[in-house]
Amino acid sequence: MPTEPRVLLSGFADEAAVNKTAEEQFVAFAALGLQYYSIRFIDLGGGVKNAMKLSPEELSTVKRLQGDFGLRVSSLGSPIGKIKLRDEEDGTKNAYIPFDRYLAEDVARACEPAAFLETKLIRGFSFYHPKGTDPEPYVSEVVDRLGRIADRCAQSGLIFGLEVEANLVGQNGHILAEIHRRLAHPNLVLVFDGANLVVQGYTPGEIYEQYLAMKPGLGWLHIKDYRRPQREAKGGHVDEDMLKNFVPAHLGDSGHEVILRDFARYLPELQSRLAERGVPGVFLDLEPHVKGGGQFGGFSGPDGMGVALRGLCRVLDYVGIRYHLRDFDDLRAARGF
């Protein structure tokens, strides 16, 4: 544990790889000086798969390869919770799966690779309410389902991180904070993402207020940003396939400087709380989408990931937050010297 608070820098490694191969992902992240990565989509020679669908043999290969590159998994970037809450036709392509089956199959499939790859964190979501409806009446139902998901994660010693995102019940920080308050589950935390609020038309001041609402329940932060949103009305449906203006953290409309300046003061408390749960630190997880993004992923390329990382480091330096990148000692340790 560091003597001074600092953040651990991570990112969705599949965003750095054109073909999503494990080697591409790990080469890019090692070259950038990152020691942690979030695993989502990966190709081990049999085609691109979500990490939840990797076989035991494939997971063993991932673990061996990441060790060769001196990498560790920060979180499993699962799509858990990105299904319909109700079996109703609403003009979207979102799937509906009966919840008991979903819990027994999909949630279990997320817990297994997370535990095997030795991360404590699974990223997930708050379910799709019918398109065009108010999310508020669905909060109680979501709280019940997320409580059962958190219980299942707890059985494997894992923490479920609930990300704020458009079109879901937890589409803004205030609703997500209310879900967290009602559930009050030790194995559920919140994941802030500024760009996911910008695309809904919220202003930097409104985004800061939503960050503050989420702060008591925060577990980690996703870092991406967006500028010049095309829509004006807040709370409506966002066509995620039409989003084109993702940018690094120092260039967008989220107000990362103000948010991270406040986060610096909160960091010691959060770092201590996570350490008690076996989490190695407070992660800032890059998901930049600088070359495009949609409902289930995005792409930055190795160059775009590098630009996004440098942009984030620029903001962290400015607000006085220390951060970890690998150094020569880390390199020697990875090679057993």
Side-chain angles (χ1 to χ4, degrees), residues 215-277:
K215 192 164 91 168
L218 281 176
W220 71 98
L221 275 62
H222 278 187
I223 303 295
K224 66 174 178 284
D225 215 328
Y226 199 86
R227 62 184 175 191
R228 298 192 300 272
Q230 300 300 307
R231 51 188 309 280
E232 296 179 359
K234 301 177 181 69
H237 185 80
V238 174
D239 185 348
E240 295 176 84
D241 292 332
M242 296 300 292
L243 299 175
K244 305 297 183 185
N245 297 322
F246 290 103
V247 294
H250 66 300
L251 298 177
D253 296 339
S254 295
H256 274 108
E257 177 193 331
V258 175
I259 290 167
L260 290 172
R261 193 176 297 280
D262 178 86
F263 191 70
R265 295 189 290 269
Y266 182 54
L267 185 56
E269 178 184 337
L270 181 55
Q271 183 172 280
S272 176
R273 189 182 338 135
L274 290 172
E276 293 174 357
R277 306 297 308 279

Side-chain angles (χ1 to χ4, degrees), residues 12 14-17 20 40 224-226 240-248 287-301 303-305:
F12 282 73
D14 58 1
E15 285 218 10
K20 310 297 185 191
R40 181 171 51 191
K224 66 174 178 284
D225 215 328
Y226 199 86
E240 295 176 84
D241 292 332
M242 296 300 292
L243 299 175
K244 305 297 183 185
N245 297 322
F246 290 103
V247 294
E287 191 188 15
H289 291 8
V290 293
K291 293 186 180 179
Q295 184 178 9
F296 292 103
F299 180 63
S300 296
D303 53 342
M305 188 64 75

Side-chain angles (χ1 to χ4, degrees), residues 15-333:
E15 285 218 10
V18 175
N19 297 309
K20 310 297 185 191
T21 66
E23 289 83 357
E24 280 184 289
Q25 296 185 35
F26 297 164
V27 164
F29 266 50
L32 288 170
L34 293 167
Q35 196 166 16
Y36 289 92
Y37 77 104
S38 281
I39 186 169
R40 181 171 51 191
F41 297 108
I42 194 164
D43 185 353
L44 294 163
V48 179
K49 294 183 180 180
N50 187 283
M52 292 169 52
K53 297 183 179 181
L54 296 176
S55 69
E57 294 76 19
E58 288 171 324
L59 285 169
S60 294
T61 299
V62 170
K63 199 167 189 177
R64 174 179 59 79
L65 286 172
Q66 71 180 35
D68 290 344
F69 286 93
L71 291 164
R72 304 172 189 171
V73 175
S74 56
S75 72
L76 181 79
S78 87
I80 294 297
K82 276 200 170 182
I83 61 170
K84 287 181 177 179
L85 195 61
R86 302 279 180 84
D87 189 12
E88 299 178 8
E89 177 57 52
D90 62 358
T92 69
K93 297 179 181 179
N94 299 323
Y96 172 80
I97 302 173
F99 185 68
D100 286 342
R101 175 158 64 90
Y102 191 64
L103 186 67
E105 296 178 3
D106 294 72
V107 177
R109 277 202 302 266
C111 291
E112 291 165 6
F116 183 83
L117 294 173
E118 300 180 70
T119 178
K120 291 286 186 179
L121 307 176
I122 297 178
R123 183 280 308 268
F125 301 93
S126 55
F127 297 91
Y128 291 111
H129 57 297
K131 179 182 176 181
T133 64
D134 181 355
E136 295 280 358
Y138 299 94
V139 167
S140 293
E141 190 172 353
V142 165
V143 166
D144 176 70
R145 292 193 181 192
L146 290 174
R148 295 174 66 188
I149 290 174
D151 285 342
R152 178 60 186 84
C153 289
Q155 292 173 17
S156 298
L158 303 169
I159 298 169
F160 190 72
L162 191 60
E163 182 179 350
V164 62
E165 184 167 316
N167 303 331
L168 297 149
V169 173
Q171 62 191 239
N172 65 56
H174 298 300
I175 297 177
L176 221 57
E178 177 64 11
I179 290 171
H180 181 267
R181 185 191 67 78
R182 290 197 202 180
L183 189 55
H185 197 295
N187 290 74
L188 184 137
V189 297
L190 304 181
V191 180
F192 177 82
D193 187 312
N196 288 350
L197 297 171
V198 175
V199 300
Q200 298 181 66
Y202 292 109
T203 66
E206 291 168 328
I207 292 169
Y208 182 65
E209 290 177 358
Q210 294 183 50
Y211 153 77
L212 291 177
M214 292 175 63
K215 192 164 91 168
L218 281 176
W220 71 98
L221 275 62
H222 278 187
I223 303 295
K224 66 174 178 284
D225 215 328
Y226 199 86
R227 62 184 175 191
R228 298 192 300 272
Q230 300 300 307
R231 51 188 309 280
E232 296 179 359
K234 301 177 181 69
H237 185 80
V238 174
D239 185 348
E240 295 176 84
D241 292 332
M242 296 300 292
L243 299 175
K244 305 297 183 185
N245 297 322
F246 290 103
V247 294
H250 66 300
L251 298 177
D253 296 339
S254 295
H256 274 108
E257 177 193 331
V258 175
I259 290 167
L260 290 172
R261 193 176 297 280
D262 178 86
F263 191 70
R265 295 189 290 269
Y266 182 54
L267 185 56
E269 178 184 337
L270 181 55
Q271 183 172 280
S272 176
R273 189 182 338 135
L274 290 172
E276 293 174 357
R277 306 297 308 279
V279 182
V282 179
F283 288 106
L284 300 191
D285 210 6
L286 285 160
E287 191 188 15
H289 291 8
V290 293
K291 293 186 180 179
Q295 184 178 9
F296 292 103
F299 180 63
S300 296
D303 53 342
M305 188 64 75
V307 168
L309 175 60
R310 291 191 295 274
L312 171 59
C313 291
R314 182 180 302 177
V315 180
L316 294 175
D317 289 338
Y318 189 69
V319 302
I321 293 180
R322 296 176 66 244
Y323 50 87
H324 172 74
L325 290 170
R326 69 170 77 193
D327 56 22
F328 185 60
D329 290 337
D330 295 320
L331 184 65
R332 289 170 59 86

